Amino acid sequence: MVTHHVLAISQPVADTCQHPEPPVITGSAKFICRNEPVILTATGCAGTVVWSNGEAGFSIQVKPQQTTNYTAICRARPGCISCFADVWKVTVNTPDAPPVASSANVVCPGSSVTLTATNCAGTVRWADQTTGPVWIGKLVETATFQATCEQNNCLSNPSRPVSVQVATPTVPVLSASNREICRGQVVQLSASGCVGTVRWTDGGKGALRTVTPEQTGSYRAVCELGSCRSDSSEPVSIRVRTMGTQLTLKTSLSNGCPFQTVDLSKALTETTLVEYTSYHFRTGPALTSPTVQSPGAVGSGTYFIFGRTADGCYTTPVAVTVNISNCPNAIPACLSNPPTLALRVDSLDWTKGVVRMTALPGGSTQVINWQSDGGGLFTNTGLIARYLLSETDLQRGKAQFTLSAPDPDGDGPCRGASVQQTVMAPPLELIGLTKKSKEPTSLTGKEPTQFTLHSLESEQERSLFIPEGFSPNGDGINDRFVITLLPASITIQLEVFNRWGHLVYQNTNYQNDWDGTANQGIGVAATKNELPDGTYYYQIRLSDGREYVRFLTLAR
């Protein structure tokens, strides 16, 4: 072997191959339908014919699924082959299966359905031997449809099956969380037994609803499944109690100089305060009318007061007319009713980059402005804001928002208001959770996820009433400075200052017992340290974080 190897190197063998001529290909057909056989034959080759599909032999049978070019070579011996033969093209004329769409996936028994086949340049054939791109018929039971396309005498494969369900929706069964309510209360309505869409006779939609009926009535619903609708359900009746008797109130109020506002709570009598658990001040006679923003300091106009009993029922509203007279040396209305702001973060979806917030204005606030330190986009502003996080916010993992109200009197003594809130990317462990909160909550961490903050208590439920003055003269009427409608769990810190800014009264746990006497910093001739009549400035701080800064009149 060694000797032979040396000889091979020193004496190379000459290439004696005489390359054969390429074979000549003929076929039984050039145009076929899919899966039809074609016989290909190669002539003029004295050796072995090797075809482009890998087969060998002078004649082969093929069944191409799509248009295909075939060629071959003639091999005299290994390494000695011809050029490629001229191509024999077999064209497959079978069209693709046509897509089929139905006008409905679910229909009622006997309902008409329309099926449409597209992308067929020839003739569409349906399973029932009808032809045409559209099939219309009525169904009495669930059926599956397919179609084929015939073109150039070739038939496509069947289309993907399309099923149309024939079903009769079940009549929903209705229930209510409460069958008798007071006007203004909500009721949870539910419908069970429907696997489709529940539609209510009052226009509502969904298996679970919250309604606030204004009057006694009934609710019905049907179940929709595709184009099919059930019979109407049995009614569920809700009785709405009529409003209670009217409150005994003062129906006309006017300001007392130097104030340019009126405290609506002055319309309430001592007897009325005992009978009802809460009062609601609105700008119109309906419970759906807007709430008075600051009942303790209103301007001229007509307001409506509702009383609410322990069982949640409201009284008939009483109209109270407020008349404002100009005062010499008047205290600006915005001083006795300064603008206040609170900001509530309702939801944060860090993955989608969306923050939703609500502004809670108070006092004399009329105009609000939203700002962000991240340069994102506010798509909604006003009381409800929607903010799209910027790339800067996402990279920092936080966004800071500022809600502000302008100075209501320009260069006057009043000041504007502002509040800030920072939200941060939620941590990983909060994925999929919700958190209930009584105060706006800041989130920490950097993992993108969704975190929902449920709504705060409404301003209506958080209202309290502070009088603009009192008369500690011992006649049994308004002898104490009384703050009303405050939950028992809230503590009050009260500080009162005289016109020179001196602290004259202080109580860190105020119990509505100030009778106009001083307990701080000054001495007067009277043995009880009685303060003189006049205007005083006070600051109230509540244990829930709220603060009030106003003026009051002490008049014996």
Side-chain angles (χ1 to χ4, degrees):
M1 292 179 65
V2 172
T3 304
H4 175 74
H5 179 66
V6 173
L7 290 175
I9 295 175
S10 60
Q11 191 81 24
V13 177
D15 183 4
T16 60
C17 172
Q18 296 294 324
H19 294 280
E21 293 295 320
V24 177
I25 299 176
T26 58
S28 60
K30 285 191 174 182
F31 300 95
I32 64 170
C33 297
R34 188 177 290 120
N35 291 322
E36 286 184 348
V38 175
I39 303 299
L40 299 177
T41 303
T43 57
C45 177
T48 302
V49 176
V50 180
W51 298 85
S52 55
N53 65 352
E55 296 187 50
F58 293 104
S59 181
I60 62 172
Q61 177 179 287
V62 294
K63 292 183 178 181
Q65 298 298 303
Q66 59 189 7
T67 298
T68 305
N69 293 327
Y70 293 92
T71 187
I73 60 171
C74 180
R75 185 175 64 183
R77 60 181 174 82
C80 189
I81 61 175
S82 70
C83 297
F84 287 177
D86 291 336
V87 168
W88 184 272
K89 182 178 180 180
V90 179
T91 301
V92 178
N93 289 322
T94 300
D96 292 330
V100 175
S102 174
S103 59
N105 295 324
V106 182
V107 297
C108 299
S111 295
S112 178
V113 65
T114 299
L115 297 159
T116 304
T118 56
N119 295 338
C120 176
T123 301
V124 176
R125 296 187 179 278
W126 300 91
D128 61 357
Q129 302 308 310
T130 59
T131 60
V134 178
W135 185 95
I136 301 176
K138 294 184 177 181
L139 301 183
V140 294
E141 60 183 7
T142 298
T144 300
F145 296 87
Q146 288 180 290
T148 57
C149 180
E150 184 178 342
Q151 184 177 349
N152 298 322
N153 295 320
C154 294
L155 193 66
S156 73
N157 290 328
S159 64
R160 290 179 178 271
V162 174
S163 293
V164 180
Q165 182 182 1
V166 176
T168 301
T170 304
V171 177
V173 178
L174 308 186
S175 61
S177 60
N178 198 340
R179 295 296 188 98
E180 184 173 344
I181 63 169
C182 302
R183 183 175 297 180
Q185 290 182 319
V186 299
V187 175
Q188 293 284 342
L189 297 177
S190 62
S192 59
C194 175
V195 296
T197 301
V198 177
R199 293 193 181 275
W200 300 78
T201 50
D202 66 342
K205 179 181 176 181
L208 185 64
R209 294 182 59 206
T210 299
V211 296
T212 308
E214 288 295 315
Q215 58 187 6
T216 297
S218 298
Y219 294 86
R220 292 177 180 266
V222 296
C223 180
E224 287 186 352
L225 197 59
S227 62
C228 190
R229 175 177 290 189
S230 72
D231 293 333
S232 182
S233 68
E234 292 294 325
V236 57
S237 298
I238 308 297
R239 179 177 177 270
V240 180
R241 300 178 197 166
T242 58
M243 287 189 170
T245 57
Q246 282 193 342
L247 298 170
T248 303
L249 301 178
K250 298 176 183 178
T251 58
S252 179
L253 296 175
S254 59
N255 62 312
C257 290
F259 297 103
Q260 292 296 106
T261 59
V262 167
D263 184 353
L264 281 179
S265 65
K266 287 186 176 181
L268 305 175
T269 64
E270 293 290 336
T271 302
T272 303
L273 288 171
V274 175
E275 292 179 356
Y276 299 95
T277 58
S278 62
Y279 298 87
H280 299 268
F281 297 79
R282 299 192 179 274
T283 58
L287 285 170
T288 54
S289 300
T291 301
V292 177
Q293 188 165 287
S294 298
V298 299
S300 60
T302 301
Y303 304 89
F304 296 84
I305 302 179
F306 297 77
R308 194 174 189 184
T309 60
D311 61 0
C313 289
Y314 290 92
T315 65
T316 301
V318 175
V320 177
T321 302
V322 173
N323 298 299
I324 302 295
S325 301
N326 291 328
C327 301
N329 301 318
I331 295 175
C334 55
L335 269 184
S336 58
N337 186 32
T340 63
L341 287 174
L343 188 163
R344 180 179 75 212
V345 179
D346 293 321
S347 67
L348 166 63
D349 190 330
W350 201 265
T351 302
K352 296 181 179 179
V354 179
V355 184
R356 290 179 173 83
M357 298 167 288
T358 298
L360 304 172
S364 57
T365 302
Q366 298 296 327
V367 178
I368 60 172
N369 298 298
W370 293 90
Q371 289 182 316
S372 161
D373 69 342
L377 176 65
F378 282 98
T379 59
N380 283 351
T381 55
L383 292 181
I384 298 176
R386 181 176 181 269
Y387 177 80
L388 302 181
L389 294 167
S390 67
E391 188 63 32
T392 300
D393 297 325
L394 296 172
Q395 290 179 356
R396 293 185 309 173
K398 66 178 182 179
Q400 185 181 74
F401 301 98
T402 301
L403 178 65
S404 60
D407 185 342
D409 65 346
D411 295 332
C414 300
R415 295 290 182 270
S418 67
V419 64
Q420 287 187 332
Q421 176 72 50
T422 300
V423 297
M424 304 185 71
L428 179 63
E429 60 267 20
L430 295 179
I431 290 179
L433 301 180
T434 58
K435 179 180 178 65
K436 292 184 178 179
S437 174
K438 289 295 183 181
E439 296 295 337
T441 304
S442 296
L443 311 179
T444 57
K446 294 184 179 179
E447 290 294 332
T449 185
Q450 180 170 339
F451 188 86
T452 302
L453 296 175
H454 294 271
S455 298
L456 296 174
E457 298 171 301
S458 68
E459 283 294 284
Q460 172 181 323
E461 298 299 327
R462 291 167 55 87
S463 297
L464 80 162
F465 303 102
I466 306 172
E468 290 187 351
F470 69 116
S471 56
N473 55 12
D475 62 358
I477 301 175
N478 292 330
D479 285 335
R480 299 289 187 272
F481 183 65
V482 178
I483 301 169
T484 58
L485 300 183
L486 190 68
S489 60
I490 302 297
T491 58
I492 305 172
Q493 178 179 332
L494 173 64
E495 293 179 339
V496 182
F497 302 82
N498 63 15
R499 60 185 297 183
W500 295 280
H502 299 145
L503 180 65
V504 295
Y505 181 83
Q506 183 180 44
N507 193 326
T508 58
N509 187 17
Y510 184 59
Q511 301 296 320
N512 286 335
D513 53 358
W514 183 41
D515 60 358
T517 59
N519 68 2
Q520 296 289 323
I522 65 170
V524 295
T527 57
K528 293 184 178 180
N529 287 340
E530 292 182 347
L531 292 168
D533 291 359
T535 300
Y536 292 82
Y537 168 86
Y538 65 83
Q539 294 181 351
I540 290 176
R541 296 182 180 87
L542 304 183
S543 57
D544 64 0
R546 286 180 285 171
E547 293 189 8
Y548 298 85
V549 178
R550 296 179 182 173
F551 291 84
L552 65 88
T553 300
L554 191 157
R556 290 184 173 83

